[in-house]
Each structure stands twice: as structure tokens, then as C-alpha cells.
């Protein structure tokens, strides 16, 4: 028994996965043998409550009812178990509950529960080990990345905005205020959800830590990241952000010490996606944070954002580690809308602290001694910081520049343009996918010269309700080798980007049944809408 525990213990502590009907061997051993002391040790360690994300099945089929309906049914089902939800992720059919490990096992074995995972904490990825790092270097590498030259073509536009999911931002900072998106459809301070997006008084984005409509920074990390992206330019004050003609949406999901729950990150991502759905032109989300295990809830949220043409730029991490071996999330999530960013120092070499990965880290950007806006309560208005947290917003800002330079491109096209235009560095060849440092001038010029391709977008509904998990297949009538398969998100939406010009057949399969296919003619670079409505 002792030897078994030696082998199995890592499984208990490191895995976040509680497969339904599969009890860990250690648990079965505990129950079958009840071997006194060893089990008692394990049980003591696991007896403490932890936060879990519990995802319920939607019912007999894949046709979802309203958000309110599942929510009240989920809460009722938890009540049957004597549990109370402490938070809800309405777009994910999930609730957050505090559970003991053995109770989590019981919950995960229920037939009406689809998934249970730990609601882990993620962290801001500022490099804080070396306080003197902030006193060295300059913006020399930044000018090396060509941002100021790219401004001859564009400084960004309000049509390509960046959502900053972080510790918030100093909303009244004189060098940020003018760049922060304001929700014109929400009346401040009247305790009403005027725009009916589910969040009360969210005039400047939302604070998912304190659950209020004011994402004011109380840490400083988010203010610094926001300033790198879009500090107000040409105002005779302080600094200018990479895309100072653009706007940022401030969403707070990290607390005053720079840490936050995965569930808060998921809700922050959904908040940005919902804004996009109603026409707020968010092209990119920046997440200078990471940690935890691979969260399925997080994956699904990023996928939902991707289906609405929002990219995710994420910091690769500051452990000097190989992400191919030790993945860091969200940067290492396997989705084609993500860019994982390593940091280079002022010499343009991979920074000592930066994570890397020949297969999982896409490119590098300046991340050493970066000057940006500071939380004014810290006594200064600007400060230098280092970390992949500072590299990621450079890439987010340059994506906003490229998207502004050619607004007809989809975000996924802009991502491809940026990846193909990095400035090669020998030291980055074996440790990143692109082998280079982000190059603003090349990216913006390439964006201007790129032919936009159509995107096919639509919703699948049955009896006026969204159908999730429907398989949508696009096959070409011209090219027998071309076919794309995507699945609909919970809101029933699907999106197929970069469709070459030509004639296509779009077909849908729902719960094993085929729906009559439709013809699609992709003749112009625009979003082609095709909705499917199932009546029987
Ligand atoms: Ca609102
Ligand atoms: Ca209001
Ligand atoms: Ca707040
Ligand atoms: Ca300024």
C-alpha cells in the first residue's frame, strides 16, 4: 500500500481532472482497505474545501433553454446536494462551489454533471525577482520593434480595440483616461443594468473580483499593461502606448495581489465576447497572466471568443522554462486564436526569465525594463517593469495596429500576418515557433498588402433556441481537398475564417441528424451570414 501511494500521490495533487465514473485508485484503496493512517493523511490534506467549477449537462438533448432556466435548475440541483453556488458562469452552464475533495468526487459521478474541475488561481506574470531590472535599459528595443515607424501608417483606430483582462487600470490616470472605452449604453451609478448585458453599472468594463462596475486597479500590474497598449499619445504628457489611437476595454479579474480565479478569467473573457456580439469592435484580448492546470472552462471561453473573431495574446511565463514540457495556461492552450509571447531583453535576446517553447511559444517581444503607466497611489505616474507580462501587450498593441491598417482582415488573418512578419533572431529559432521578435512595421505593411478573405458566420437554432455542439461542415465544390469542420458554441454560433473564394456547400449535423445543406458563394471579402433554423 505504501508503494502505491508513492506512485499515486502526484496524481492526487497535480491532476485537476475528475473523470466521471473513474475513481482514482488511491480513493478505491482507501475505501476498500481503509488503511488507517495513510488514508487519514491523504484525507486530512484533501478535507479542506476548495473551489470547483461544476458544469451541468443541459438535459436530454443539446437544445439549451434560457440562461435563467439552467441557472435556477443548476442551483436547485446543488441545493439537493446540500451545496450552495458561490458564483455562476452562465455561458458555460457552470457554477462555482466550495467542496471537499471527496464531495467533488461524488458530484462528478452524477449523471447530470458533465465536468468538474478545480477553480485554480492564476497570477500576473510580471518579473519581480530582480528589482534593479526596472532601472536598466530603455525603450531602445521598443524602437527596434519598429512601433514608432509603424505610426507613419497607423497609430491604431477605435475600430480595433483591445480588451485588457488584468488587475484593472487606473481609470483616472492622465495618460490613460482618454484611451479607455466607455460603455455609452450604461448609466453610471443608478444600480441598474441599463444595457441589459447582465452587469450592473459597467460604465468602464467590469470588476469580476469585487463584482462591481468599476475596474479600478488596486495592484498596478493592469495599469502598466494598459499603458503599454494604449497610453494616450501626443498629449504632451508622459509616454505613448503602442496603439495609442486604439481603445482598451478594462476588465478586472486579478485582485490587489495580482491573483485571480480561473472562473473570474472565464467570465471576463465572456464579457469581452458579449461586447463584440453587440458591435464593440474588440479584435484582441491581452492576458498577461497564467497558472493553474489546463482548464476546460477556460478553453471553452477562449473558443467562444475565437468564434467571434477575438484573438488572445498571452504571456508565456517567467520561469525560464520550456512550455513544450511544462505548459502554462492560457498561453499553452491549443487554439489557433492564441499567441503565446516570450520576452527579449534590451539586447534583443531571449530574457533570462522568459519561458520559451519551439512548439508552443509563438514569438518574442520586448519585455525588459519597459516604461509604462503606474498606479498613482504608488507615488509615481510611470515606472519600468520587466516580464512576459510586458511583452504580451506589445504584441496585442501591434495586432491592433495591423487590424487598424486593414480593417477588412479577420483577426485570425491579422494573427497570421503578424506571425509571418517577425524579425528573425538566431537565438529565437530553436525556442519559438516563428523564430523572431515582433516587427510592427513589417506587420502593418503586410496587413495593408494582404487580400482579405471571406468569413462564414451564423447561428444554428431549433425552435428559436440556440443549438450548441452542432457540427458545421464546409466543403468546396471546386477543391475536393478543402473541408472545414467546426462546432457551434453555446450561443449556437459558428465561424469559419479565411475561406478561399469559390463555391461551397455548408452542412449541419445535430445530434447525429443531418440538416439539408445550403450553397454558399464566397465571392467577396466580407462576412457571409448563414443561419440554420431547425423546426423538426
Ligand atoms: Ca450593464
Ligand atoms: Ca446603470
Ligand atoms: Ca471595483
Ligand atoms: Ca502621453
Amino acid at each position: 500500500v505504501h508503494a502505491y501511494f508513492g506512485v499515486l500521490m502526484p496524481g492526487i495533487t497535480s491532476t485537476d481532472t475528475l473523470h466521471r465514473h473513474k475513481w482514482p485508485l488511491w480513493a478505491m484503496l482507501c475505501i476498500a482497505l481503509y488503511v488507517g493512517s495513510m488514508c487519514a493523511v491523504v484525507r486530512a490534506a484533501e478535507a479542506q474545501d476548495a473551489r470547483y467549477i461544476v458544469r451541468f449537462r443541459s438535459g436530454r438533448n443539446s437544445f439549451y433553454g434560457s440562461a435563467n432556466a439552467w441557472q435556477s435548475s443548476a442551483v436547485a440541483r446543488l441545493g439537493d446536494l446540500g451545496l450552495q453556488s458561490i458564483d455562476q458562469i452562465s455561458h458555460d452552464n457552470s457554477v462555482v462551489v466550495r467542496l471537499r475533495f471527496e464531495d467533488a468526487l461524488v458530484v462528478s459521478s452524477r449523471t447530470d454533471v458533465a465536468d468538474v474541475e478545480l477553480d485554480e488561481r492564476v497570477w500576473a506574470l510580471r518579473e519581480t525577482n530582480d528589482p534593479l531590472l526596472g532601472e536598466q535599459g530603455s525603450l531602445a528595443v521598443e524602437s527596434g520593434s519598429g512601433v514608432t515607424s509603424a505610426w507613419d501608417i497607423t497609430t491604431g483606430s477605435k475600430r480595433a480595440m483591445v480588451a485588457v483582462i488584468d488587475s484593472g487600470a487606473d481609470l483616472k490616470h492622465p495618460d490613460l483616461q482618454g484611451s479607455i472605452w466607455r460603455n455609452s449604453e450604461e448609466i453610471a451609478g443608478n444600480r441598474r443594468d441599463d444595457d441589459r448585458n447582465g452587469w450592473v453599472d459597467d460604465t468602464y468594463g467590469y470588476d469580476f473580483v469585487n463584482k462591481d462596475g468599476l475596474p479600478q486597479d488596486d495592484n498596478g500590474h493592469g495599469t502598466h499593461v494598459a499603458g503599454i497598449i494604449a497610453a494616450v499619445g501626443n498629449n504632451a504628457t508622459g509616454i505613448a502606448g503602442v496603439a495609442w489611437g486604439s481603445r482598451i476595454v478594462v476588465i478586472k479579474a486579478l485582485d490587489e495581489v495580482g491573483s485571480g480565479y480561473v472562473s473570474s478569467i472565464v467570465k471576463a473573457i465572456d464579457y469581452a465576447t458579449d461586447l463584440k456580439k453587440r458591435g464593440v469592435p474588440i479584435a484582441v484580448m491581452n492576458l498577461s497572466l497564467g497558472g493553474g492546470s489546463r482548464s476546460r472552462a477556460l478553453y471553452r471561453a477562449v473558443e467562444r471568443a475565437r468564434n467571434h473573431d477575438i484573438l488572445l495574446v498571452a504571456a508565456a511565463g517567467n520561469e525560464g522554462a520550456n512550455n513544450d514540457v511544462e505548459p502554462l495556461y492560457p498561453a499553452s492552450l491549443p487554439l489557433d486564436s492564441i499567441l503565446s509571447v516570450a520576452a527579449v531583453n534590451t539586447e534583443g535576446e531571449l530574457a533570462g526569465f522568459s519561458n520559451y517553447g519551439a512548439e508552443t511559444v509563438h514569438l518574442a517581444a520586448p519585455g525588459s525594463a519597459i516604461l509604462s503607466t503606474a498606479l498613482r497611489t504608488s507615488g509615481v505616474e510611470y515606472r519600468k517593469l520587466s516580464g512576459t507580462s510586458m511583452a504580451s501587450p506589445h504584441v496585442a498593441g501591434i495586432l491592433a495596429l495591423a487590424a487598424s491598417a486593414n480593417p477588412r482582415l479577420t483577426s485570425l488573418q491579422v494573427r497570421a500576418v503578424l506571425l509571418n512578419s517577425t524579425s528573425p533572431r538566431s537565438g529565437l529559432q530553436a525556442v519559438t515557433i516563428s523564430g523572431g521578435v515582433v516587427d510592427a512595421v513589417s506587420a502593418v505593411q503586410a496587413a495593408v498588402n494582404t487580400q482579405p478573405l471571406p468569413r462564414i458566420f451564423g447561428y444554428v437554432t431549433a425552435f428559436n433556441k440556440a443549438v450548441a455542439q452542432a457540427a458545421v461542415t464546409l466543403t468546396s465544390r471546386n477543391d475536393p481537398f478543402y473541408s472545414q469542420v467546426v462546432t457551434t458554441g453555446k450561443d449556437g454560433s459558428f465561424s469559419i475564417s479565411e475561406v478561399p473564394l469559390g463555391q461551397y456547400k455548408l452542412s449541419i449535423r445535430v445530434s447525429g441528424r443531418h440538416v439539408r445543406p445550403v450553397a454558399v458563394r464566397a465571392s467577396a471579402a466580407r462576412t457571409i451570414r448563414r443561419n440554420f433554423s431547425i423546426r423538426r
Side-chain angles (χ1 to χ4, degrees):
V1 170
H2 220 91
Y4 275 104
F5 276 113
V7 176
L8 294 170
M9 281 297 279
I12 298 166
T13 51
S14 69
T15 183
D16 63 328
T17 310
L18 300 168
H19 293 293
R20 290 200 322 109
H21 309 306
K22 265 193 229 162
W23 285 55
L25 192 49
W26 74 268
M28 291 192 287
L29 281 171
C30 284
I31 292 156
L33 307 173
Y34 204 70
V35 284
S37 63
M38 260 325 277
C39 276
V41 170
V42 173
R43 286 169 151 265
E46 303 297 343
Q48 289 173 355
D49 290 3
R51 287 169 61 119
Y52 288 88
I53 300 172
V54 177
R55 187 183 207 212
F56 284 98
R57 289 189 195 286
S58 51
R60 279 179 290 110
N61 52 38
S62 61
F63 304 129
Y64 286 86
S66 71
N68 285 342
W70 86 255
Q71 211 151 304
S72 47
S73 107
V75 169
R77 279 185 266 180
L78 282 174
D80 294 345
L81 300 170
L83 300 167
Q84 267 193 329
S85 82
I86 50 177
D87 207 349
Q88 283 126 35
I89 310 172
S90 53
H91 286 333
D92 201 47
N93 274 14
S94 299
V95 290
V96 179
V97 276
R98 213 167 258 294
L99 292 172
R100 289 181 306 168
F101 183 70
E102 54 261 46
D103 291 333
L105 287 173
V106 172
V107 169
S108 71
S109 68
R110 287 173 61 96
T111 51
D112 58 348
V113 168
D115 203 358
V116 177
E117 63 177 302
L118 267 174
D119 187 13
E120 295 188 84
R121 287 187 86 84
V122 294
W123 297 86
L125 293 177
R126 179 171 65 207
E127 172 60 39
T128 51
N129 293 342
D130 185 358
L132 288 179
L133 220 55
E135 301 300 317
Q136 303 162 345
S138 68
L139 299 181
V141 178
E142 248 188 296
S143 52
S145 74
V147 167
T148 50
S149 310
W151 288 345
D152 293 342
I153 304 169
T154 179
T155 60
S157 85
K158 294 175 189 170
R159 292 175 62 185
M161 307 207 303
V162 181
V164 180
I165 297 174
D166 212 292
S167 61
D170 193 345
L171 301 171
K172 302 278 185 224
H173 195 295
D175 225 2
L176 275 183
Q177 202 173 5
S179 288
I180 294 173
W181 169 79
R182 222 198 113 106
N183 185 359
S184 57
E185 293 172 39
E186 182 72 40
I187 299 161
N190 65 353
R191 300 188 181 184
R192 292 179 58 148
D193 179 16
D194 303 290
D195 63 354
R196 296 186 188 177
N197 65 348
W199 308 105
V200 172
D201 290 346
D202 55 326
T203 37
Y204 294 100
Y206 201 77
D207 175 349
F208 286 99
V209 177
N210 304 299
K211 301 185 178 174
D212 62 54
L214 215 58
Q216 172 62 35
D217 194 359
D218 46 12
N219 173 274
H221 186 269
T223 297
H224 200 268
V225 167
I228 293 170
I229 296 168
V232 180
N234 208 25
N235 64 344
T237 306
I239 60 162
V242 170
W244 54 270
S246 189
R247 290 289 178 273
I248 48 175
V249 178
V250 181
I251 311 174
K252 182 170 168 62
L254 299 180
D255 61 16
E256 71 278 5
V257 297
S259 133
Y261 288 106
V262 166
S263 54
S264 302
I265 306 294
V266 167
K267 291 165 77 173
I269 292 171
D270 282 339
Y271 180 86
T273 306
D274 281 348
L275 286 184
K276 179 86 180 249
K277 283 191 217 171
R278 79 168 204 221
V280 179
I282 297 169
V284 185
M285 302 181 288
N286 185 84
L287 276 79
S288 288
L289 53 88
S293 318
R294 178 164 160 180
S295 159
R296 293 173 295 280
L298 184 62
Y299 180 97
R300 293 187 295 262
V302 179
E303 201 175 37
R304 288 192 285 275
R306 178 210 179 276
N307 286 348
H308 291 278
D309 208 33
I310 304 177
L311 301 176
L312 188 156
V313 185
N318 301 327
E319 292 80 42
N322 185 348
N323 284 3
D324 293 356
V325 180
E326 287 174 85
L328 184 94
Y329 301 103
S332 300
L333 285 174
L335 280 162
D336 65 358
S337 60
I338 290 184
L339 283 171
S340 168
V341 185
V344 287
N345 59 25
T346 45
E347 278 78 50
E349 296 156 348
L350 188 72
F353 59 77
S354 180
N355 289 7
Y356 54 89
E359 288 164 14
T360 54
V361 175
H362 296 88
L363 76 171
S368 205
I370 302 299
L371 185 69
S372 186
T373 39
L375 196 57
R376 286 164 307 147
T377 51
S378 68
V380 290
E381 294 194 313
Y382 303 92
R383 69 196 305 186
K384 286 180 183 175
L385 292 173
S386 298
T388 51
S389 271
M390 282 68 241
S392 177
H394 280 82
V395 172
I398 293 169
L399 283 166
L401 289 180
S404 303
N406 191 348
R408 296 171 70 211
L409 300 181
T410 65
S411 297
L412 284 173
Q413 265 186 297
V414 172
R415 176 185 178 276
V417 159
L418 181 118
L419 261 183
N420 291 329
S421 64
T422 58
S423 171
R425 298 285 156 85
S426 56
L428 295 171
Q429 296 291 325
V431 293
T432 59
I433 292 168
S434 71
V437 176
V438 66
D439 183 331
V441 181
S442 301
V444 167
Q445 282 170 347
V448 170
N449 295 328
T450 297
Q451 184 65 37
L453 289 174
R455 175 174 92 106
I456 298 174
F457 175 83
Y459 289 93
V460 179
T461 52
F463 310 103
N464 295 321
K465 285 178 184 171
V467 178
Q469 297 294 319
V472 181
T473 307
L474 183 73
T475 49
S476 170
R477 292 181 189 278
N478 319 102
D479 176 0
F481 297 105
Y482 181 93
S483 125
Q484 295 273 332
V485 184
V486 296
T487 49
T488 53
K490 194 202 156 199
D491 62 355
S493 70
F494 65 90
S495 171
I496 303 170
S497 286
E498 292 172 63
V499 178
L501 302 184
Q503 308 271 1
Y504 294 89
K505 190 179 82 173
L506 192 62
S507 54
I508 311 285
R509 203 177 71 238
V510 182
S511 307
R513 286 188 305 139
H514 290 272
V515 178
R516 200 151 73 92
V518 298
V520 180
R521 184 182 155 87
S523 57
R526 59 189 170 85
T527 296
I528 301 161
R529 292 190 73 116
R530 282 290 183 279
N531 295 332
F532 285 84
S533 175
I534 301 161
R535 295 228 164 64
R536 57 160 276 115

